C-alpha cells in the first residue's frame, strides 16, 4: 500500500526558528508526553487546574452535550468536560500526538470514575478535523492554538464543526496571553527563562521548553484573536486575561 | 507521583466505539468513513484512502492515510495535496 504524501510548503519565515513545521511540533509533544502533567503542575504551582476549570465554564458545556476538546494532550480538559456533560453527553478528545493520547487513554483506564467512559480519543489534525459540519455544542482548546501552524485555518475548522442555531454554541480557547503590556511580557519571558527552562532542563527537555518563549512571541494578541474569530464567522468574540495577564481565554460564539 | 509499571489490559485495537464510528468523517473530503473489519481501518471511499485504528484510537491525521489498492494498479502518483495550507 502506498503512503499518502501530503505536500507541505517549506517555512517562509526569514529568521530561523527552532521548531518550525507541524512534524517538529508533533515530535516535541510526543517527547514531553511522559512528564507533561508533572511539569504542568510544577511550573504553574497547580494553577493550570484553575485555569482549565475556567476554560470549561466559559465553554458553556452542560449535561447531555456533544463536546470537542481540541489538542487534548493528556486529557485534562476532556476529563473536566466529561463531568459536565454526564453519561448522556459525549466528549471527543483530539490530538495529533500519539504519545499524549496514550497518556490520556491510560489515565482514563486507570481512573475509578465511571463517568469518564463518555470520552472518545481521536488522533487527528486541528487543521483538518474528521468531524461533520455543525456537530458539536461546545469546543475547548487548551494550550493548543499557539502550537498550530495556521491559526486562521484552525478557527475555520472550529467554526465549521460547531452547531449553528439560536443556542449559541461556543469555543473556549485557553492559552498564554501575548500581552501588549511590556511589563507583563517581560515577566512572562523572565519566568520562562529562569523557572520553566531550568526545571525542564532537569527533565532533559530544555530545547522543548525553550520553544515556549518563541511560540508566545509569535502568538496573536487577545485583540488579534478576537479579530480572527470574527473574520471566520463567529458572531461574537471576547478575550479574557487571567492571572495578571499571563494567561488568556478566548470565548467566541457561533 | 506513582508511575504505573504494571501491564494494563488494553483495548485489543480491534473495532471502534459505535458512536465514534458514526460521527467520524474523512479529514480531507469530509465524507463519511466506512469501517473495514478485515484491516481494522476506516476507509474513505471518496478519496480512496484508509486510516488505521490503533489501540482503539482512530488515526485520522491526513499523513496517517494510505491509498487503498484499486483495480487500476497503474497509478503511481502517491501525492495528495491537502486542502489546508500549512505554513
Amino acid at each position: 500500500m502506498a503512503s499518502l504524501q501530503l505536500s507541505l510548503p517549506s517555512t517562509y519565515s526569514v529568521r530561523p526558528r527552532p521548531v518550525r513545521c507541524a512534524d517538529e511540533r508533533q515530535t516535541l509533544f510526543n517527547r514531553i508526553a511522559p512528564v507533561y502533567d508533572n511539569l504542568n503542575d510544577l511550573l504553574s504551582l497547580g494553577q493550570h487546574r484553575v485555569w482549565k476549570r475556567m476554560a470549561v465554564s466559559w465553554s458553556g458545556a452542560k449535561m447531555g452535550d456533544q463536546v470537542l476538546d481540541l489538542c487534548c494532550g493528556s486529557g485534562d480538559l476532556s476529563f473536566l468536560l466529561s463531568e459536565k456533560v454526564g453519561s448522556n453527553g459525549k466528549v471527543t478528545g483530539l490530538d495529533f500526538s500519539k504519545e499524549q493520547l496514550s497518556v490520556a487513554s491510560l489515565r482514563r483506564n486507570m481512573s475509578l470514575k465511571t463517568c469518564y467512559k463518555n470520552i472518545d480519543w481521536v488522533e487527528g489534525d486541528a487543521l483538518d478535523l474528521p468531524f461533520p459540519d455543525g456537530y458539536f455544542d461546545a469546543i475547548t482548546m487548551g494550550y493548543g492554538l499557539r502550537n498550530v501552524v495556521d491559526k486562521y485555518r484552525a478557527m475555520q475548522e472550529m467554526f465549521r464543526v460547531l452547531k449553528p442555531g439560536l443556542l449559541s454554541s461556543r469555543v473556549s480557547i485557553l492559552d498564554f496571553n501575548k500581552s501588549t503590556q511590556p511589563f507583563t511580557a517581560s515577566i512572562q519571558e523572565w519566568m520562562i527563562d529562569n523557572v520553566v527552562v531550568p526545571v525542564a532542563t532537569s527533565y532533559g527537555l530544555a530545547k522543548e521548553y525553550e520553544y515556549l518563549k518563541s511560540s508566545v512571541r509569535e502568538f496573536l494578541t487577545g485583540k488579534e484573536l478576537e479579530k480572527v474569530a470574527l473574520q471566520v464567522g463567529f458572531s461574537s468574540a471576547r478575550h479574557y486575561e487571567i492571572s495578571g495577564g499571563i494567561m488568556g481565554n478566548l470565548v467566541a460564539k457561533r | 507521583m506513582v508511575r504505573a509499571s504494571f501491564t494494563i489490559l488494553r483495548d485489543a485495537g480491534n473495532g471502534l466505539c459505535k458512536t465514534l464510528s458514526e460521527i467520524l468523517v474523512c479529514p480531507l473530503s469530509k465524507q463519511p468513513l466506512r469501517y473495514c473489519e478485515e484491516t481494522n481501518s476506516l476507509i474513505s471511499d471518496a478519496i480512496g484512502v484508509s486510516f488505521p485504528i490503533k489501540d482503539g484510537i482512530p488515526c485520522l491525521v491526513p499523513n496517517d492515510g494510505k491509498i487503498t489498492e484499486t483495480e487500476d494498479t497503474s497509478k503511481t502518483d502517491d501525492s495528495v495535496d491537502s486542502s489546508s495550507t500549512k505554513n
Side-chain angles (χ1 to χ4, degrees), chain A residues 195-216:
Chain A
V195 178
V196 174
V197 173
V199 171
T201 305
S202 68
Y203 281 74
L205 295 169
K207 203 170 77 166
E208 283 79 1
Y209 279 82
E210 276 163 10
Y211 155 74
L212 194 55
K213 193 160 90 170
S214 60
S215 73
V216 175

Side-chain angles (χ1 to χ4, degrees), chain A residues 59-76:
Chain A
S59 74
K62 58 192 184 306
M63 281 291 177
D65 275 356
Q66 306 288 325
V67 298
L68 173 63
D69 181 24
L70 278 181
C71 303
C72 66
S74 55
D76 279 352

Side-chain angles (χ1 to χ4, degrees), chain A residues 38-173:
Chain A
N38 286 352
L39 276 172
N40 283 342
D41 270 332
L42 195 55
L43 295 170
S44 70
L45 299 175
Q47 277 294 293
H48 74 103
R49 295 167 190 267
V50 174
W51 301 327
K52 284 165 181 167
R53 286 188 179 277
M54 292 168 78
V56 166
S57 278
W58 263 314
S59 74
K62 58 192 184 306
M63 281 291 177
D65 275 356
Q66 306 288 325
V67 298
L68 173 63
D69 181 24
L70 278 181
C71 303
C72 66
S74 55
D76 279 352
L77 283 167
S78 299
F79 294 124
L80 291 173
L81 287 166
S82 165
E83 291 167 12
K84 281 277 185 188
V85 305
S87 53
N88 286 333
K90 198 77 177 168
V91 180
T92 305
L94 179 139
D95 201 282
F96 74 165
S97 162
K98 277 184 172 56
E99 298 301 326
Q100 293 276 355
L101 285 173
S102 287
V103 174
S105 188
L106 188 70
R107 286 173 79 192
R108 190 268 298 275
N109 294 345
M110 284 179 66
S111 169
L112 295 173
K113 287 194 180 180
T114 54
C115 70
Y116 291 164
K117 285 184 181 157
N118 64 1
I119 306 173
D120 287 322
W121 309 109
V122 176
E123 190 192 316
D125 190 335
L127 303 182
D128 289 298
L129 292 176
F131 308 113
D133 296 1
Y135 186 81
F136 294 103
D137 297 292
I139 299 177
T140 55
M141 195 178 196
Y143 301 100
L145 189 62
R146 179 176 35 87
N147 299 305
V148 299
V149 292
D150 188 339
K151 280 78 170 161
Y152 186 87
R153 169 88 186 160
M155 295 269 229
Q156 280 182 314
E157 279 290 87
M158 283 186 251
F159 183 81
R160 180 180 69 77
V161 302
L162 265 181
K163 260 182 206 166
L166 297 172
L167 294 175
S168 258
S169 51
R170 295 184 216 166
V171 293
S172 175
I173 299 173

Side-chain angles (χ1 to χ4, degrees), chain A residues 4-5 7 123 125 130 135 150, chain B residues 25 60 64-65 80-81 85-86:
Chain A
L4 184 70
Q5 298 294 325
S7 56
E123 190 192 316
D125 190 335
Y135 186 81
D150 188 339
Chain B
V25 299
L60 292 164
D64 290 333
V80 173
D81 283 334
T85 308
K86 292 186 178 155

Side-chain angles (χ1 to χ4, degrees), chain B residues 56-86:
Chain B
I57 297 178
C59 303
L60 292 164
V61 175
N63 271 344
D64 290 333
K66 290 186 178 0
I67 293 179
T68 53
E69 287 171 9
T70 62
E71 287 177 14
D72 180 6
T73 53
S74 62
K75 271 190 186 173
T76 52
D77 183 5
D78 297 337
S79 296
V80 173
D81 283 334
S82 163
S83 57
S84 66
T85 308
K86 292 186 178 155

